[in-house]
Amino acid sequence: MSIKWAALAQTAGASFVITVAVVTVFALGVLALSRREAALEAGRSGAEGAASGRGTLALAGASVCFAACAGVVLYGLSLIAG
Amino acid sequence: MEHITFLVAVVIITALAFDFTNGFHDTANAMATSIATGALKPKVAVTIAAVLNFAGAFLSVKVASTISGGIVNEKAGIQPSIIFAALVGAILWNLLTWLRGLPSSSSHALYGGLIGATVVGVGLHGVNFATVLSKIVIPAVASPIVAGLASWGATKLAYLLTRKTDEKTSDKGFRKGQMFSASLISLAHGTNDAQKTMGIITLALVSAGALHKGATPPVWVIASAGAAIALGTYMGGWRIIRSMGSGLADIRPPQGLASETAAATVILTSSSMGYGLSTTQVCSGGIMGAGLGGRNPRLNWGMARRMVYTWGLTLPAAAVVAGLAAVIVDQGTWGVAVVGTALVAGSGAMYLVSRRQPVHAGNVNDVTPVETTEVTPAAGTPAATVPTPASTTVAA
């Protein structure tokens, strides 16, 4: 009887890395969204230009993060259906 | 259809009954933390889970071709009587653990049932113990630990990254994310677990000669298996949802997202590597990790310990019940009738006991765990009329 320890360790390692990566990217997205809200807040209380620039940048960053997460979810779906 | 004997008909009905218990036992896996953090309203959560479990049943029939994944030697002669005995063991164990609000693995209950019934009906050589060790026991020990570690790390990082944000805003984001992670778990669950029932029914039909060998499940089998698991899921298994969602740790949205992501990842990576692990154990491990990784690391160790004991007991307990059932079923039609009656009576009794202290969508987030004292299962008393000291470890 041979137990494939390497495959087991690989699965465990991959699971750990993917989980941490996905949640990190998602948290960055959440962070960017809250920055955007802060920027919008600043925009309302004067300092128009700079604040709206920062707001757009933050929104773009959040979109990238959430798109990446959506990509992982789609890959997960393809694994389920596969 | 005239080929379908009495026994095969009984097997099909019992398989669907098992599928139903599997559904309500495992709703908690995907939805417990979403309900606890308020990401989804309880009724909405179970509806989504039910729909996705049903949809999942239609996604793939890959697993259905081997119901046991090589654990028992299916060619050596799995008779419908053995399958029936296995299902009886699995259902009774599922109901008993549900009554006590303990999440246990429906898959392990089924595997245990198959092993017990096979040992009695065919003999020890009918079971591939090496496969049991490498495909079930080792992943069963490793997967909750991996999910727990991943979830712990992810929780820490999520809190670190969002420490300067307004908690209300970030919680809203994490709750949205939970909808996706929970849905993914539900879909994966439907695909995996509904297929097991399809496999069982198909095998029974093949053994009766109603289908040719190697046939894929007919559409009515896929649809009825999907419907049974979806119906079970919709019923909610609220006792287990409460234990996992608020009985184990105080789960906030970032922790909910981390634990669900960890669970979904571990389930998908391992099933693509061919390990048949327990969704229940992975999800519970994820919740424990998230609980310990949070701002106020806290875990209800009493509950955690009880869950781990239950995991260890699931396979042997289901095996013993199934073995006993196999002995009686072997006596012929009257044996089947006796076991069937015992199954119905046992299930009914456990349902009646559960009514004494019902848990439903309305009180699922209350902090008092259903099951609070260390009574033995045999005592069967729902001991939760006494307010629990355990609730002190669970923040409101």
Side-chain angles (χ1 to χ4, degrees), chain B residues 65-333:
Chain B
S65 53
T66 57
I67 55 165
S68 66
I71 290 150
V72 295
N73 193 347
E74 287 171 28
K75 285 190 197 101
I78 289 207
Q79 296 303 314
S81 59
I82 292 180
I83 299 175
F84 176 59
L87 288 167
V88 169
I91 292 174
L92 287 176
W93 181 253
N94 259 359
L95 286 175
L96 185 67
T97 49
W98 160 75
L99 187 63
R100 290 169 59 80
L102 289 167
S104 67
S105 167
S106 302
S107 316
H108 283 192
L110 183 60
Y111 293 148
L114 276 171
I115 292 169
T118 304
V119 167
V120 170
V122 179
L124 279 173
H125 66 274
V127 180
N128 299 327
F129 284 102
T131 314
V132 172
L133 184 66
S134 68
K135 284 265 174 84
I136 303 181
V137 176
I138 293 175
V141 174
S143 61
I145 298 175
V146 173
L149 280 175
S151 161
W152 177 84
T155 303
K156 285 264 176 217
L157 272 168
Y159 272 122
L160 185 73
L161 286 168
T162 57
R163 69 190 181 283
K164 283 182 184 155
T165 60
D166 174 36
E167 199 176 327
K168 242 188 183 159
T169 319
S170 57
D171 276 0
K172 214 165 68 188
F174 285 120
R175 282 200 189 99
K176 290 239 167 69
Q178 272 197 285
M179 292 180 193
F180 292 98
S181 50
S183 299
L184 207 56
I185 298 176
S186 285
L187 200 64
H189 181 258
T191 309
N192 274 317
D193 285 19
Q195 280 190 68
K196 286 183 193 127
T197 306
M198 291 176 214
I200 288 171
I201 297 176
T202 308
L203 195 71
L205 290 171
V206 168
S207 75
L211 284 174
H212 63 86
K213 259 202 156 69
T216 50
V219 175
W220 70 267
V221 173
I222 299 177
S224 56
I229 203 166
L231 191 67
T233 305
Y234 182 74
M235 298 300 285
W238 300 108
R239 308 172 92 80
I240 300 173
I241 292 178
R242 183 192 275 181
S243 301
M244 279 175 86
S246 34
L248 203 48
D250 177 28
I251 296 291
R252 312 282 317 142
Q255 295 162 291
L257 180 82
S259 74
E260 284 176 358
T261 307
T265 310
V266 171
I267 291 163
L268 291 178
T269 48
S270 358
S271 65
S272 73
M273 292 293 286
Y275 297 108
L277 41 76
S278 156
T279 314
T280 308
Q281 296 179 1
V282 171
C283 292
S284 315
I287 292 172
M288 292 178 198
L292 290 174
R295 277 201 179 131
N296 317 301
R298 221 181 338 212
L299 187 66
N300 182 350
W301 286 105
M303 177 70 87
R305 208 178 307 121
R306 236 168 319 164
M307 281 185 190
V308 173
Y309 290 159
T310 313
W311 297 347
L313 271 177
T314 296
L315 203 140
V320 168
V321 178
L324 210 66
V327 172
I328 303 171
V329 167
D330 247 7
Q331 311 302 313
T333 305

Side-chain angles (χ1 to χ4, degrees), chain A residues 1-5 7-16 18-20 22-28 30-31 33-35 37 66 72-73 75-77 79-82, chain B residues 59-60 62 130 133-134 138-139 146 149-151 153-154 157-158 161-162 165 169-170 173-174 177 180 184 187-188 191 257-258 261-262 265-266 268-270 272-273 275:
Chain A
M1 180 182 73
S2 65
I3 294 161
K4 293 177 182 145
W5 293 108
L8 207 67
Q10 215 174 20
T11 312
S15 303
F16 183 85
I18 294 170
T19 303
V20 172
V22 169
V23 174
T24 302
V25 171
F26 192 90
L28 286 173
V30 169
L31 179 65
L33 268 192
S34 81
R35 287 269 162 84
E37 245 166 60
F66 292 132
V72 177
V73 170
Y75 181 65
L77 283 179
L79 279 182
I80 293 173
Chain B
L59 278 180
S60 166
K62 202 173 49 185
L133 184 66
S134 68
I138 293 175
V146 173
L149 280 175
S151 161
L157 272 168
L161 286 168
T162 57
T165 60
T169 319
S170 57
F174 285 120
F180 292 98
L184 207 56
L187 200 64
T191 309
L257 180 82
T261 307
T265 310
V266 171
L268 291 178
T269 48
S270 358
S272 73
M273 292 293 286
Y275 297 108

